[in-house]
């Protein structure tokens, strides 16, 4: 994030330079809500706001981690929308026009 903020340009490389393995006891999978909170906190600190896509990601993780027995596809979508709006208010103190349109649709 700091490199991007400093204007460093990135490029796609065909060759793999590293491999990341995911295990249930990794922080990435074992504490997904916590990881997404930390990412959003870093965005807020470095750029002053969190992009909508990361707010939606956070909302998806929260809904997946706390399923309701009566959830159907429409309820899940509605819960993700509500958590996305709440996340925007939490980190950005406002809801973007794009997010409003996306959640409404």
């Amino acid at each position: 994030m700091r490199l991007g903020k400093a204007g460093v340009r990135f490029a796609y490389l065909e060759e793999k330079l590293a491999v990341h393995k995911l295990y249930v006891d990794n922080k990435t999978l074992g504490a997904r809500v916590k990881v997404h909170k930390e990412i959003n906190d870093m965005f807020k600190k470095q750029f002053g706001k969190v992009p909508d896509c990361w707010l939606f990601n956070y909302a998806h993780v929260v809904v997946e981690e706390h399923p309701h027995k009566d959830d159907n596809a429409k309820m899940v979508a509605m819960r993700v929308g509500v958590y996305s709006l709440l996340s925007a208010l939490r980190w950005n103190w406002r809801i973007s026009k794009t997010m409003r349109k996306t959640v409404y649709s």
Side-chain angles (χ1 to χ4, degrees):
M1 286 184 179
R2 287 188 296 263
L3 291 172
K5 188 176 179 182
V8 173
R9 293 186 51 124
F10 295 89
Y12 176 78
L13 299 175
E14 290 288 333
E15 65 183 293
K16 293 180 183 176
L17 301 178
V19 176
H20 180 72
K21 294 185 180 184
L22 298 175
Y23 300 100
V24 176
D25 53 346
N26 280 25
K27 183 178 175 185
T28 305
L29 286 181
R32 292 172 58 213
V33 173
K34 182 178 179 183
V35 168
H36 279 76
K37 280 183 184 176
E38 289 175 4
I39 291 168
N40 290 349
D41 288 341
M42 284 189 292
F43 268 114
K44 179 71 175 175
K45 182 178 178 184
Q46 291 295 319
F47 299 102
K49 71 176 201 154
V50 180
D52 286 349
C53 62
W54 280 100
L55 299 171
F56 283 120
N57 289 342
Y58 173 78
H60 277 275
V61 170
V62 169
V63 170
E64 287 175 2
E65 295 277 319
H66 302 96
H68 287 204
K69 63 179 180 160
D70 299 327
D71 271 351
N72 57 42
K74 286 184 181 181
M75 281 301 293
V76 169
M78 187 171 69
R79 290 179 58 218
V80 169
V82 169
Y83 277 105
S84 298
L85 297 172
L86 293 172
S87 300
L89 293 173
R90 174 183 179 171
W91 277 286
N92 295 340
W93 302 330
R94 62 182 284 282
I95 299 167
S96 73
K97 191 175 188 178
T98 304
M99 179 175 281
R100 281 195 304 270
K101 285 182 181 179
T102 303
V103 170
Y104 179 74
S105 66

